[in-house]
Amino acid sequence: MAKIYDLMQERAALTAQIRELMNRVEGAELGAEDKAELTRMEADFDALNERIAREEKQLERERLAGEAQAAQARKKPEPADESGRLFARALSGSAAAVQQYRAAAPTLGDEDQAGALTAPMQFVEQLIKGLDDMLFMRQISHITPRLGAGQTLGFPYRATEAADAEWEGEVDAAAEETTLAYGRREFKPNRMAKLIKLSRTLVGHAPMAEGVVRDEMMYRIAITQEKAYMTGTGTGQPLGIFTANANGIPTTRDVSTGNTQTAVTFDGLLEAKYAIKQQYWRELNWVMHRDAAKMLAKIKDSDGQYIWQPSVQLGQPDLLLGVPVRMSEYAPNTFTAGKYVAVLGDFRYYWICDADPLTIQVLTELYATTNQIGYLYHYFGDGAPVVGEAFARVALAAAAG
Protein backbone atom coordinates (compact mmCIF):
# COMPACT_ATOMS: atom_id res chain seq x y z
CA MET A 1 0.00 0.00 0.00
CA ALA A 2 2.88 2.36 0.81
CA LYS A 3 4.34 1.90 -2.67
CA ILE A 4 1.22 2.91 -4.54
CA TYR A 5 0.76 5.86 -2.20
CA ASP A 6 4.28 7.10 -3.02
CA LEU A 7 3.62 6.74 -6.76
CA MET A 8 0.42 8.73 -6.47
CA GLN A 9 2.23 11.48 -4.55
CA GLU A 10 4.87 11.59 -7.24
CA ARG A 11 2.20 11.83 -9.93
CA ALA A 12 0.49 14.65 -8.06
CA ALA A 13 3.77 16.58 -7.85
CA LEU A 14 4.42 16.04 -11.55
CA THR A 15 0.90 17.23 -12.38
CA ALA A 16 1.58 20.43 -10.44
CA GLN A 17 4.83 20.96 -12.40
CA ILE A 18 3.03 20.53 -15.71
CA ARG A 19 0.40 23.06 -14.63
CA GLU A 20 3.12 25.52 -13.59
CA LEU A 21 4.79 25.25 -16.99
CA MET A 22 1.54 25.74 -18.85
CA ASN A 23 0.62 28.74 -16.72
CA ARG A 24 4.02 30.32 -17.35
CA VAL A 25 3.70 30.21 -21.12
CA GLU A 26 -0.05 30.82 -21.24
CA GLY A 27 -1.08 32.15 -24.67
CA ALA A 28 2.46 32.08 -26.01
CA GLU A 29 4.20 29.76 -28.39
CA LEU A 30 6.24 27.14 -26.57
CA GLY A 31 9.91 27.44 -27.13
CA ALA A 32 11.97 24.41 -28.04
CA GLU A 33 13.27 24.02 -24.49
CA ASP A 34 9.82 24.32 -22.90
CA LYS A 35 8.34 21.95 -25.48
CA ALA A 36 11.00 19.34 -24.76
CA GLU A 37 10.41 19.75 -20.99
CA LEU A 38 6.65 19.35 -21.37
CA THR A 39 7.11 16.26 -23.57
CA ARG A 40 9.38 14.72 -20.95
CA MET A 41 6.96 15.44 -18.10
CA GLU A 42 4.00 14.07 -20.04
CA ALA A 43 5.95 10.87 -20.75
CA ASP A 44 6.82 10.58 -17.06
CA PHE A 45 3.18 11.17 -16.21
CA ASP A 46 2.04 8.38 -18.55
CA ALA A 47 4.66 6.03 -17.13
CA LEU A 48 3.52 6.76 -13.58
CA ASN A 49 -0.10 6.13 -14.59
CA GLU A 50 0.87 2.70 -15.97
CA ARG A 51 2.79 1.80 -12.80
CA ILE A 52 -0.10 2.91 -10.60
CA ALA A 53 -2.58 0.92 -12.71
CA ARG A 54 -0.39 -2.21 -12.37
CA GLU A 55 -0.15 -1.71 -8.59
CA GLU A 56 -3.91 -1.25 -8.29
CA LYS A 57 -4.53 -4.45 -10.23
CA GLN A 58 -2.11 -6.31 -7.97
CA LEU A 59 -3.81 -4.94 -4.85
CA GLU A 60 -7.17 -6.09 -6.21
CA ARG A 61 -5.76 -9.57 -6.83
CA GLU A 62 -4.34 -9.68 -3.31
CA ARG A 63 -7.66 -8.49 -1.87
CA LEU A 64 -9.57 -11.24 -3.64
CA ALA A 65 -7.03 -13.84 -2.54
CA GLY A 66 -7.33 -12.60 1.03
CA GLU A 67 -11.11 -12.84 0.96
CA ALA A 68 -10.89 -16.40 -0.30
CA GLN A 69 -8.49 -17.32 2.49
CA ALA A 70 -10.72 -15.66 5.07
CA ALA A 71 -13.75 -17.54 3.77
CA GLN A 72 -11.82 -20.79 3.98
CA ALA A 73 -10.74 -19.95 7.52
CA ARG A 74 -14.36 -19.33 8.52
CA LYS A 75 -15.33 -22.78 7.36
CA LYS A 76 -15.39 -25.51 10.02
CA PRO A 77 -11.88 -26.97 9.95
CA GLU A 78 -11.36 -30.60 9.22
CA PRO A 79 -10.49 -32.73 12.25
CA ALA A 80 -6.89 -32.25 13.32
CA ASP A 81 -6.06 -35.93 13.46
CA GLU A 82 -5.46 -37.93 10.29
CA SER A 83 -8.20 -40.47 11.03
CA GLY A 84 -10.68 -37.63 11.43
CA ARG A 85 -9.71 -36.10 8.08
CA LEU A 86 -10.03 -39.43 6.33
CA PHE A 87 -13.37 -40.06 8.06
CA ALA A 88 -14.75 -36.72 6.84
CA ARG A 89 -13.76 -37.60 3.28
CA ALA A 90 -15.21 -41.10 3.61
CA LEU A 91 -18.59 -39.61 4.50
CA SER A 92 -18.90 -38.43 0.91
CA GLY A 93 -19.42 -42.04 -0.07
CA SER A 94 -16.46 -42.11 -2.44
CA ALA A 95 -15.25 -45.69 -2.74
CA ALA A 96 -11.64 -44.50 -2.92
CA ALA A 97 -12.05 -42.39 0.24
CA VAL A 98 -13.70 -45.27 2.07
CA GLN A 99 -10.90 -47.65 1.14
CA GLN A 100 -8.29 -45.07 2.14
CA TYR A 101 -9.96 -44.68 5.55
CA ARG A 102 -10.13 -48.45 6.05
CA ALA A 103 -6.52 -48.88 5.05
CA ALA A 104 -5.45 -46.23 7.56
CA ALA A 105 -7.58 -47.76 10.32
CA PRO A 106 -7.40 -51.54 9.78
CA THR A 107 -8.72 -52.30 13.28
CA LEU A 108 -12.16 -51.15 12.19
CA GLY A 109 -12.72 -54.15 10.00
CA ASP A 110 -15.41 -54.76 7.40
CA GLU A 111 -18.46 -55.68 9.40
CA ASP A 112 -21.30 -57.87 8.10
CA GLN A 113 -20.90 -57.12 4.41
CA ALA A 114 -22.23 -53.61 5.01
CA GLY A 115 -19.04 -51.67 4.41
CA ALA A 116 -19.10 -50.28 7.95
CA LEU A 117 -16.79 -47.57 9.21
CA THR A 118 -16.54 -46.37 12.82
CA ALA A 119 -16.40 -42.66 13.62
CA PRO A 120 -13.15 -41.51 15.28
CA MET A 121 -13.16 -40.39 18.93
CA GLN A 122 -12.82 -36.71 18.03
CA PHE A 123 -16.06 -36.87 16.04
CA VAL A 124 -17.81 -38.47 19.03
CA GLU A 125 -16.44 -35.88 21.45
CA GLN A 126 -17.61 -33.02 19.23
CA LEU A 127 -21.07 -34.59 19.09
CA ILE A 128 -21.26 -34.86 22.90
CA LYS A 129 -20.02 -31.27 23.23
CA GLY A 130 -22.81 -30.20 20.87
CA LEU A 131 -25.34 -31.99 23.05
CA ASP A 132 -24.02 -30.14 26.11
CA ASP A 133 -24.62 -26.84 24.32
CA MET A 134 -28.02 -27.83 22.94
CA LEU A 135 -29.77 -29.42 25.94
CA PHE A 136 -30.49 -27.15 28.90
CA MET A 137 -30.73 -30.21 31.17
CA ARG A 138 -27.12 -31.03 30.39
CA GLN A 139 -26.20 -27.43 31.20
CA ILE A 140 -27.86 -27.22 34.61
CA SER A 141 -27.46 -30.85 35.75
CA HIS A 142 -24.44 -32.68 37.12
CA ILE A 143 -22.57 -34.67 34.46
CA THR A 144 -20.73 -37.55 36.08
CA PRO A 145 -17.43 -39.04 34.86
CA ARG A 146 -18.05 -41.44 32.02
CA LEU A 147 -18.98 -45.02 32.72
CA GLY A 148 -17.63 -47.94 30.78
CA ALA A 149 -20.25 -49.81 28.76
CA GLY A 150 -20.17 -52.69 31.23
CA GLN A 151 -20.00 -50.64 34.43
CA THR A 152 -22.48 -49.13 36.88
CA LEU A 153 -22.19 -46.20 39.25
CA GLY A 154 -23.69 -46.34 42.72
CA PHE A 155 -24.73 -43.13 44.47
CA PRO A 156 -25.50 -43.40 48.19
CA TYR A 157 -28.47 -41.40 49.46
CA ARG A 158 -30.09 -40.86 52.84
CA ALA A 159 -33.30 -42.88 52.89
CA THR A 160 -34.31 -41.93 56.44
CA GLU A 161 -33.04 -38.96 58.42
CA ALA A 162 -31.44 -39.36 61.80
CA ALA A 163 -33.24 -38.10 64.87
CA ASP A 164 -31.95 -34.87 66.39
CA ALA A 165 -29.37 -34.95 69.12
CA GLU A 166 -30.66 -34.64 72.69
CA TRP A 167 -29.54 -32.79 75.77
CA GLU A 168 -28.43 -35.34 78.34
CA GLY A 169 -27.40 -35.26 81.93
CA GLU A 170 -23.72 -35.15 82.74
CA VAL A 171 -23.39 -38.87 83.36
CA ASP A 172 -26.40 -40.13 81.38
CA ALA A 173 -25.86 -42.55 78.49
CA ALA A 174 -26.13 -40.96 75.04
CA ALA A 175 -29.25 -41.91 73.09
CA GLU A 176 -28.50 -44.37 70.31
CA GLU A 177 -29.46 -43.45 66.75
CA THR A 178 -31.79 -46.08 65.30
CA THR A 179 -33.64 -44.35 62.44
CA LEU A 180 -30.81 -43.27 60.11
CA ALA A 181 -30.71 -45.36 56.94
CA TYR A 182 -28.93 -45.06 53.61
CA GLY A 183 -29.84 -46.47 50.24
CA ARG A 184 -27.95 -46.73 46.96
CA ARG A 185 -29.03 -45.60 43.50
CA GLU A 186 -27.46 -47.38 40.56
CA PHE A 187 -26.69 -45.65 37.27
CA LYS A 188 -26.50 -48.08 34.37
CA PRO A 189 -25.44 -47.75 30.72
CA ASN A 190 -28.92 -47.99 29.15
CA ARG A 191 -28.71 -48.34 25.38
CA MET A 192 -30.19 -45.89 22.88
CA ALA A 193 -29.89 -46.79 19.20
CA LYS A 194 -30.96 -45.20 15.93
CA LEU A 195 -30.37 -45.74 12.22
CA ILE A 196 -30.29 -42.56 10.16
CA LYS A 197 -30.13 -42.64 6.36
CA LEU A 198 -29.05 -39.58 4.39
CA SER A 199 -28.86 -39.00 0.66
CA ARG A 200 -25.40 -39.79 -0.68
CA THR A 201 -25.79 -36.83 -3.05
CA LEU A 202 -26.57 -34.46 -0.16
CA VAL A 203 -23.66 -35.64 1.94
CA GLY A 204 -21.27 -35.65 -1.01
CA HIS A 205 -22.07 -32.04 -1.97
CA ALA A 206 -22.32 -30.57 1.53
CA PRO A 207 -19.60 -28.00 2.37
CA MET A 208 -18.65 -30.21 5.32
CA ALA A 209 -20.20 -33.65 5.16
CA GLU A 210 -19.08 -34.46 8.67
CA GLY A 211 -21.03 -31.50 10.06
CA VAL A 212 -24.25 -32.52 8.26
CA VAL A 213 -24.12 -35.97 9.81
CA ARG A 214 -23.13 -34.74 13.27
CA ASP A 215 -25.93 -32.14 13.38
CA GLU A 216 -28.55 -34.71 12.38
CA MET A 217 -27.35 -37.19 15.00
CA MET A 218 -27.14 -34.49 17.64
CA TYR A 219 -30.76 -33.51 17.04
CA ARG A 220 -32.03 -37.09 17.24
CA ILE A 221 -30.03 -37.97 20.35
CA ALA A 222 -31.01 -34.70 22.05
CA ILE A 223 -34.74 -35.28 21.55
CA THR A 224 -34.58 -38.79 22.99
CA GLN A 225 -32.46 -37.69 25.95
CA GLU A 226 -34.68 -34.72 26.77
CA LYS A 227 -37.83 -36.86 26.70
CA ALA A 228 -36.23 -39.25 29.19
CA TYR A 229 -34.97 -36.48 31.47
CA MET A 230 -38.55 -35.17 31.61
CA THR A 231 -40.74 -38.29 31.78
CA GLY A 232 -38.44 -41.34 31.59
CA THR A 233 -39.56 -44.41 33.54
CA GLY A 234 -36.15 -45.31 34.96
CA THR A 235 -36.39 -48.82 33.51
CA GLY A 236 -33.98 -49.24 30.60
CA GLN A 237 -33.81 -45.44 30.34
CA PRO A 238 -33.18 -42.40 32.59
CA LEU A 239 -35.63 -41.52 35.36
CA GLY A 240 -37.46 -38.28 34.58
CA ILE A 241 -38.20 -35.40 36.91
CA PHE A 242 -41.95 -35.61 36.22
CA THR A 243 -42.02 -39.32 37.08
CA ALA A 244 -42.92 -39.96 40.72
CA ASN A 245 -40.51 -42.53 42.04
CA ALA A 246 -39.07 -43.31 45.46
CA ASN A 247 -35.64 -43.57 43.80
CA GLY A 248 -35.96 -40.09 42.27
CA ILE A 249 -38.46 -37.40 43.23
CA PRO A 250 -41.06 -39.11 45.44
CA THR A 251 -44.70 -38.06 45.77
CA THR A 252 -43.84 -36.47 49.12
CA ARG A 253 -42.20 -33.69 47.06
CA ASP A 254 -45.45 -32.96 45.15
CA VAL A 255 -46.94 -29.54 45.97
CA SER A 256 -50.55 -28.76 45.04
CA THR A 257 -51.61 -26.58 47.96
CA GLY A 258 -53.21 -23.35 46.74
CA ASN A 259 -53.75 -24.55 43.16
CA THR A 260 -57.10 -25.31 41.54
CA GLN A 261 -57.91 -28.40 39.49
CA THR A 262 -57.18 -26.51 36.25
CA ALA A 263 -54.67 -23.78 37.09
CA VAL A 264 -51.66 -22.88 39.20
CA THR A 265 -52.03 -19.84 41.45
CA PHE A 266 -49.60 -17.32 42.89
CA ASP A 267 -50.03 -18.94 46.30
CA GLY A 268 -49.37 -22.33 44.74
CA LEU A 269 -46.05 -21.15 43.31
CA LEU A 270 -45.03 -19.72 46.68
CA GLU A 271 -45.90 -23.04 48.32
CA ALA A 272 -43.58 -24.83 45.88
CA LYS A 273 -40.69 -22.42 46.41
CA TYR A 274 -40.90 -22.57 50.18
CA ALA A 275 -41.17 -26.35 50.13
CA ILE A 276 -37.47 -26.38 49.27
CA LYS A 277 -34.86 -25.74 51.92
CA GLN A 278 -32.97 -22.47 51.57
CA GLN A 279 -29.66 -24.29 51.11
CA TYR A 280 -30.80 -25.20 47.57
CA TRP A 281 -32.15 -21.78 46.55
CA ARG A 282 -28.97 -20.39 45.02
CA GLU A 283 -29.11 -22.86 42.09
CA LEU A 284 -32.86 -23.21 41.58
CA ASN A 285 -34.45 -23.56 38.12
CA TRP A 286 -38.03 -23.98 36.99
CA VAL A 287 -38.66 -26.61 34.27
CA MET A 288 -41.99 -26.66 32.45
CA HIS A 289 -43.72 -26.80 29.07
CA ARG A 290 -44.19 -23.51 27.21
CA ASP A 291 -47.96 -23.91 27.62
CA ALA A 292 -47.44 -23.94 31.37
CA ALA A 293 -45.12 -20.93 31.07
CA LYS A 294 -47.85 -19.06 29.19
CA MET A 295 -50.33 -19.85 31.97
CA LEU A 296 -47.95 -18.74 34.71
CA ALA A 297 -46.95 -15.57 32.86
CA LYS A 298 -50.49 -14.29 33.38
CA ILE A 299 -50.44 -14.67 37.16
CA LYS A 300 -50.47 -11.48 39.26
CA ASP A 301 -49.52 -10.96 42.88
CA SER A 302 -51.78 -9.47 45.55
CA ASP A 303 -50.90 -5.96 44.32
CA GLY A 304 -52.03 -6.74 40.79
CA GLN A 305 -48.47 -6.91 39.42
CA TYR A 306 -47.35 -9.71 37.10
CA ILE A 307 -44.94 -12.01 38.93
CA TRP A 308 -43.26 -13.03 35.67
CA GLN A 309 -40.06 -11.12 34.92
CA PRO A 310 -39.16 -11.34 31.19
CA SER A 311 -35.43 -11.33 30.53
CA VAL A 312 -33.97 -8.12 29.05
CA GLN A 313 -30.57 -9.68 28.36
CA LEU A 314 -29.94 -11.85 25.31
CA GLY A 315 -29.26 -15.47 26.25
CA GLN A 316 -30.61 -15.12 29.79
CA PRO A 317 -33.80 -17.00 30.81
CA ASP A 318 -36.96 -15.33 32.10
CA LEU A 319 -37.46 -15.23 35.88
CA LEU A 320 -40.41 -16.50 37.90
CA LEU A 321 -40.28 -15.54 41.60
CA GLY A 322 -36.65 -14.64 40.93
CA VAL A 323 -35.84 -18.11 39.51
CA PRO A 324 -34.84 -18.88 35.87
CA VAL A 325 -37.47 -20.63 33.75
CA ARG A 326 -36.42 -23.45 31.38
CA MET A 327 -38.94 -24.71 28.85
CA SER A 328 -39.12 -28.17 27.32
CA GLU A 329 -41.52 -29.41 24.66
CA TYR A 330 -41.49 -32.77 26.44
CA ALA A 331 -42.67 -31.58 29.86
CA PRO A 332 -46.35 -32.33 30.65
CA ASN A 333 -48.92 -29.86 29.30
CA THR A 334 -52.25 -31.41 30.30
CA PHE A 335 -53.89 -29.15 32.87
CA THR A 336 -56.47 -31.29 34.61
CA ALA A 337 -56.95 -32.38 38.21
CA GLY A 338 -53.89 -33.95 39.82
CA LYS A 339 -51.57 -33.48 36.81
CA TYR A 340 -48.02 -32.20 37.10
CA VAL A 341 -47.30 -28.72 35.77
CA ALA A 342 -43.70 -27.81 36.66
CA VAL A 343 -40.65 -28.84 38.63
CA LEU A 344 -38.62 -26.44 40.74
CA GLY A 345 -35.26 -27.65 41.93
CA ASP A 346 -31.52 -27.52 42.28
CA PHE A 347 -30.53 -29.55 39.24
CA ARG A 348 -27.02 -30.13 40.49
CA TYR A 349 -28.81 -33.06 42.12
CA TYR A 350 -30.01 -34.45 38.83
CA TRP A 351 -27.17 -36.65 37.62
CA ILE A 352 -26.53 -37.51 33.98
CA CYS A 353 -24.13 -40.37 33.21
CA ASP A 354 -22.67 -40.89 29.73
CA ALA A 355 -21.25 -44.36 29.21
CA ASP A 356 -18.11 -44.69 27.14
CA PRO A 357 -17.91 -45.21 24.25
CA LEU A 358 -20.60 -43.82 21.98
CA THR A 359 -20.26 -45.83 18.77
CA ILE A 360 -21.20 -44.65 15.29
CA GLN A 361 -21.06 -47.00 12.31
CA VAL A 362 -21.19 -45.58 8.80
CA LEU A 363 -22.81 -48.04 6.40
CA THR A 364 -21.40 -46.93 3.08
CA GLU A 365 -22.59 -49.83 0.91
CA LEU A 366 -25.66 -51.38 2.52
CA TYR A 367 -28.04 -48.74 1.10
CA ALA A 368 -26.17 -48.00 -2.13
CA THR A 369 -29.10 -49.13 -4.29
CA THR A 370 -31.20 -46.25 -2.95
CA ASN A 371 -28.34 -43.72 -3.15
CA GLN A 372 -28.13 -43.46 0.64
CA ILE A 373 -25.58 -43.83 3.41
CA GLY A 374 -26.65 -45.30 6.75
CA TYR A 375 -25.47 -43.97 10.10
CA LEU A 376 -26.05 -46.35 12.99
CA TYR A 377 -25.30 -45.04 16.46
CA HIS A 378 -25.41 -46.57 19.91
CA TYR A 379 -25.49 -44.28 22.95
CA PHE A 380 -25.22 -45.65 26.45
CA GLY A 381 -26.24 -43.50 29.40
CA ASP A 382 -28.47 -42.87 32.38
CA GLY A 383 -29.87 -40.05 34.48
CA ALA A 384 -31.90 -39.56 37.66
CA PRO A 385 -32.51 -37.19 40.57
CA VAL A 386 -30.27 -38.20 43.48
CA VAL A 387 -31.58 -35.94 46.29
CA GLY A 388 -35.36 -35.73 46.39
CA GLU A 389 -35.53 -32.84 48.85
CA ALA A 390 -33.74 -30.60 46.35
CA PHE A 391 -36.90 -30.58 44.20
CA ALA A 392 -40.56 -29.58 44.44
CA ARG A 393 -42.97 -30.82 41.78
CA VAL A 394 -45.95 -28.52 41.16
CA ALA A 395 -49.25 -30.34 40.74
CA LEU A 396 -52.82 -29.21 40.22
CA ALA A 397 -55.37 -29.90 42.93
CA ALA A 398 -56.72 -33.43 42.99
CA ALA A 399 -60.30 -34.15 41.98
CA ALA A 400 -62.81 -34.09 44.79
CA GLY A 401 -63.26 -37.51 46.35
Side-chain angles (χ1 to χ4, degrees):
M1 183 64 71
K3 184 175 182 180
I4 193 171
Y5 175 79
D6 292 340
L7 290 172
M8 294 174 75
Q9 291 297 310
E10 186 178 347
R11 184 177 62 181
L14 184 57
T15 301
Q17 292 172 18
I18 295 173
R19 170 54 63 186
E20 182 182 359
L21 174 60
M22 294 176 67
N23 288 341
R24 190 176 69 246
V25 297
E26 182 178 5
E29 184 72 25
L30 286 174
E33 186 175 341
D34 289 335
K35 187 179 290 186
E37 180 64 14
L38 181 58
T39 300
R40 182 189 64 78
M41 288 192 292
E42 288 177 340
D44 290 345
F45 181 87
D46 292 341
L48 282 171
N49 267 344
E50 290 181 6
R51 292 180 62 186
I52 290 171
R54 288 197 298 270
E55 287 293 331
E56 287 177 337
K57 287 183 179 180
Q58 178 60 21
L59 285 176
E60 178 64 12
R61 286 191 288 266
E62 291 172 355
R63 182 186 67 80
L64 293 173
E67 288 182 354
Q69 291 173 354
Q72 183 64 29
R74 286 192 297 270
K75 288 183 179 180
K76 189 177 180 72
E78 286 191 272
D81 63 297
E82 183 62 20
S83 65
R85 282 193 289 269
L86 293 176
F87 177 71
R89 296 190 191 107
L91 291 180
S92 68
S94 162
V98 170
Q99 292 303 321
Q100 186 180 12
Y101 180 71
R102 285 186 181 145
T107 58
L108 300 178
D110 296 327
E111 301 183 22
D112 60 27
Q113 305 295 316
L117 309 176
T118 301
M121 182 55 65
Q122 182 176 7
F123 180 94
V124 174
E125 290 174 350
Q126 289 173 344
L127 193 151
I128 293 296
K129 175 60 170 61
L131 288 173
D132 290 343
D133 295 337
M134 184 177 183
L135 277 176
F136 75 82
M137 280 292 288
R138 295 184 67 92
Q139 297 170 26
I140 64 177
S141 301
H142 173 74
I143 308 296
T144 70
R146 288 191 179 179
L147 303 173
Q151 299 175 336
T152 63
L153 174 66
F155 179 81
Y157 69 96
R158 186 179 61 200
T160 307
E161 291 186 353
D164 293 341
E166 300 176 6
W167 295 102
E168 302 284 2
E170 183 178 352
V171 294
D172 292 342
E176 181 181 352
E177 172 56 47
T178 59
T179 59
L180 178 63
Y182 284 89
R184 179 182 175 89
R185 292 190 177 92
E186 293 289 338
F187 289 86
K188 301 177 181 179
N190 301 303
R191 175 174 174 259
M192 176 204 303
K194 184 72 173 180
L195 172 63
I196 298 174
K197 292 187 285 187
L198 296 180
S199 163
R200 184 183 295 266
T201 303
L202 170 65
V203 173
H205 289 81
M208 191 59 183
E210 179 189 14
V212 172
V213 175
R214 185 170 51 243
D215 289 348
E216 182 67 21
M217 288 186 171
M218 189 188 308
Y219 179 68
R220 298 302 171 188
I221 294 175
I223 286 177
T224 306
Q225 284 188 343
E226 187 169 335
K227 288 178 181 177
Y229 299 152
M230 295 297 110
T231 58
T233 63
T235 301
Q237 59 185 266
L239 178 60
I241 58 176
F242 286 96
T243 302
N245 191 297
N247 292 321
I249 304 177
T251 55
T252 54
R253 302 305 302 161
D254 293 351
V255 180
S256 60
T257 303
N259 297 330
T260 71
Q261 294 181 12
T262 57
V264 178
T265 67
F266 176 58
D267 287 348
L269 292 175
L270 289 176
E271 291 283 350
K273 183 171 182 178
Y274 286 94
I276 297 176
K277 293 178 180 179
Q278 190 174 3
Q279 68 198 58
Y280 300 110
W281 279 22
R282 188 170 60 88
E283 300 292 338
L284 288 180
N285 280 273
W286 293 99
V287 175
M288 64 189 71
H289 193 278
R290 59 188 167 86
D291 291 343
K294 180 175 65 174
M295 174 193 296
L296 301 183
K298 299 176 182 178
I299 296 178
K300 298 179 181 180
D301 61 19
S302 56
D303 296 324
Q305 301 296 315
Y306 286 106
I307 64 173
W308 190 274
Q309 301 168 32
S311 173
V312 295
Q313 185 175 350
L314 184 64
Q316 295 300 312
D318 295 338
L319 299 179
L320 181 62
L321 298 182
V323 176
V325 177
R326 313 281 180 169
M327 288 179 279
S328 170
E329 290 296 298
Y330 307 105
N333 65 336
T334 301
F335 307 117
T336 56
K339 297 293 186 180
Y340 293 138
V341 176
V343 170
L344 175 65
D346 182 345
F347 283 82
R348 294 176 302 171
Y349 298 98
Y350 188 95
W351 281 25
I352 295 174
C353 297
D354 295 321
D356 187 16
L358 166 67
T359 60
I360 303 171
Q361 291 179 310
V362 185
L363 308 178
T364 58
E365 299 168 13
L366 190 60
Y367 305 103
T369 56
T370 55
N371 193 39
Q372 293 175 303
I373 304 174
Y375 303 89
L376 177 63
Y377 68 78
H378 304 270
Y379 165 83
F380 295 87
D382 204 354
V386 295
V387 177
E389 70 174 19
F391 300 88
R393 191 166 38 219
V394 179
L396 297 176

